[in-house]
Amino acid sequence: MILLAIWTRPLWEDPVRDVIPDAVSDTFSSASDFVSEAIDNDFYFRQVADEATSFFQSFTDSETGTSYEQVETPELTTPEEQSFSVGNVEIGDTRGQVEEMYGEAKRQSENEYGVEWFTYHENYQNFMMVAYDEQDMVRGLFTNQDLLSSQQGIALGDSKSFVNETLGEPEEMIRNGWFNYKIESEGEYDVYHMDGTYATIFYDLHESEEVTAIQLIDEDMESAKSTLYTPGSEALKEGLEYQLFDLTNATRVKHELSILEWDEAVRETARKHSTDMAANQFFSHTNLEGQSPFDRMKEDDISFLSAGENLAYGQFSSVFAHQGLLNSEGHRENILHRDFSHLGIGVDFNESDQPFYTENFFNN
């Protein structure tokens, strides 16, 4: 039946795509299944397509372990002013306070709020991202590691039911002066508006709906957005690419896997595919010339023993794109594949400023 589905793909692919929502994520791997996931413009994730075996298999089955020294998690204290803190940093703290504790940022890159995420970590351990305003005050925080502390006793690893019992009903909509976000997360995250901050609490659907990450955004920074999608630019394109790369490595370290190396050549392969999809209004691992991800990598002289590709479309940020991909089985397999050693990510925008994300993983 799988072979029949593959052979007859030209007959059913276009009709199926007609019913797929506008924003989608997809995965293709030489070592895992082909899975399609849909993600619409309200941050909302649901499965819409069938599974079929991948066309290619990995040529190797190596044992890849961690390649970094474990570091200790800082001792966390209960936040004083806000309900939540990340690594003992609260919304309203200063950049000086943050860097007194953590030193200089490893990277800074533009985000969808028109400011930059400053990334702090030690070999992707104790990973967090911090956004500052023009006065160097903390206005945004993110972590997917054990750096969360709260006045209510919520921490990473707690259950969704405990969060809901403790904080009550989450928000159904984010309101500002320009537009509203309707929140229909299908259980993947909850948003709470408290202390002048929007707290988005993400859950891992593969780990009993436990808290796996948190993003804190100052309400003034959220309300300053004047469009649904931030206008695309070269700075934002690069920012989303590097943020997705850092988020992937922080997740791998959390699962005691090796850190992936950024590959500039495959980044160009990935970006060309994102540009192609955005410009020509299609969403598929197979481009309009019939090339698979592996064909495109080989055409760009990228040698690999195993490779995989994740696609996503329409998510406002790399944070939401990554967390959505992580909750999809096929994408998660690529993100947490023990044999992959390199990753390049390419992003581009269509005429509506919706971002297309392509992740190309490989091992050589």
Side-chain angles (χ1 to χ4, degrees):
M1 291 185 67
I2 291 171
L3 289 175
L4 179 62
I6 294 170
W7 291 333
T8 61
R9 178 175 176 178
L11 300 177
W12 55 259
E13 182 173 32
D14 289 340
V16 168
R17 291 198 180 279
D18 288 341
V19 300
I20 294 178
D22 288 339
V24 193
S25 71
D26 208 356
T27 182
F28 194 101
S29 175
S30 62
S32 63
D33 290 339
F34 180 110
V35 179
S36 296
E37 294 287 322
I39 304 179
D40 75 13
N41 291 336
D42 293 329
F43 297 164
Y44 146 45
F45 305 77
R46 65 182 182 273
Q47 185 168 320
V48 298
D50 295 333
E51 295 183 11
T53 303
S54 302
F55 297 141
F56 297 87
Q57 295 294 321
S58 170
F59 294 106
T60 62
D61 187 21
S62 60
E63 294 288 339
T64 304
T66 57
S67 58
Y68 48 84
E69 183 178 347
Q70 297 289 334
V71 300
E72 293 185 4
T73 301
E75 183 178 351
L76 301 178
T77 59
T78 303
E80 298 179 358
E81 303 295 332
Q82 297 273 312
S83 294
F84 295 101
S85 64
V86 171
N88 298 324
V89 179
E90 300 179 44
I91 299 292
D93 286 351
T94 67
R95 180 174 171 180
Q97 291 173 297
V98 175
E99 299 199 342
E100 183 177 352
M101 290 187 284
Y102 296 104
E104 293 186 2
K106 294 292 193 295
R107 192 195 308 279
Q108 57 189 83
S109 56
E110 187 166 317
N111 64 26
E112 71 277 16
Y113 293 102
V115 297
E116 294 182 321
W117 280 123
F118 287 69
T119 305
Y120 301 88
H121 60 86
E122 300 172 73
N123 288 324
Y124 288 100
Q125 298 171 83
N126 296 329
F127 176 86
M128 67 177 182
M129 300 194 300
V130 184
Y132 303 103
D133 63 15
E134 293 179 352
Q135 287 72 45
D136 276 344
M137 304 291 288
V138 175
R139 296 301 178 208
L141 290 162
F142 173 87
T143 191
N144 59 3
Q145 296 186 2
D146 194 18
L147 296 176
L148 173 62
S149 183
S150 76
Q151 294 180 355
Q152 296 83 4
I154 296 170
L156 259 64
D158 285 343
S159 67
K160 175 181 170 68
S161 59
F162 175 71
V163 172
N164 294 159
E165 290 168 5
T166 304
L167 299 182
E169 290 293 321
E171 297 292 318
E172 296 182 355
M173 188 172 294
I174 296 179
R175 301 175 178 84
N176 64 31
W178 296 93
F179 49 84
N180 297 330
Y181 297 112
K182 185 180 179 184
I183 301 168
E184 297 182 59
S185 71
E186 292 293 289
E188 294 199 357
Y189 60 88
D190 288 320
V191 178
Y192 290 92
H193 189 195
M194 51 205 308
D195 308 321
T197 299
Y198 285 104
T200 303
I201 301 174
F202 297 92
Y203 306 109
D204 190 332
L205 302 188
H206 295 271
E207 297 289 344
S208 303
E209 296 186 329
E210 68 178 28
V211 176
T212 189
I214 189 168
Q215 178 176 270
L216 305 172
I217 299 294
D218 177 81
E219 62 183 3
D220 291 335
M221 190 165 76
E222 182 67 54
S223 64
K225 289 183 67 178
S226 59
T227 58
L228 187 63
Y229 287 99
T230 304
S233 66
E234 188 65 27
L236 181 58
K237 186 186 300 185
E238 289 191 357
L240 295 178
E241 291 169 348
Y242 285 124
Q243 289 151 27
L244 193 50
F245 175 77
D246 288 340
L247 290 163
T248 299
N249 269 331
T251 295
R252 287 178 64 87
V253 165
K254 185 177 176 179
H255 288 81
E256 299 183 347
L257 294 169
S258 59
I259 295 169
L260 300 178
E261 183 179 336
W262 177 265
D263 189 275
E264 188 64 27
V266 85
R267 182 254 200 106
E268 291 304 315
T269 303
R271 185 181 279 191
K272 284 188 293 186
H273 189 56
S274 288
T275 300
D276 189 16
M277 291 189 293
N280 293 296
Q281 302 181 50
F282 75 97
F283 185 81
S284 174
H285 295 288
T286 304
N287 66 18
L288 300 181
E289 285 77 42
Q291 293 178 311
S292 74
F294 315 114
D295 295 329
R296 295 191 297 273
M297 290 173 67
K298 290 176 181 177
E299 184 177 68
D300 289 343
D301 296 323
I302 296 166
S303 61
F304 57 89
L305 297 175
S306 59
E309 178 175 273
N310 284 350
L311 303 180
Y313 158 45
Q315 300 83 357
F316 302 108
S317 74
S318 289
V319 168
F320 280 89
H322 176 71
Q323 295 303 134
L325 291 169
L326 198 58
N327 272 329
S328 168
E329 185 175 357
H331 307 95
R332 185 185 185 95
E333 287 178 2
N334 279 339
I335 292 168
L336 300 179
H337 198 295
R338 66 181 182 179
D339 291 339
F340 289 151
S341 57
H342 293 73
L343 172 60
I345 297 169
V347 172
D348 211 340
F349 308 91
N350 64 13
E351 292 181 351
S352 301
D353 292 316
Q354 296 168 317
F356 286 72
Y357 305 81
T358 301
E359 298 180 312
N360 284 146
F361 303 82
F362 72 96
N363 176 35
N364 60 5

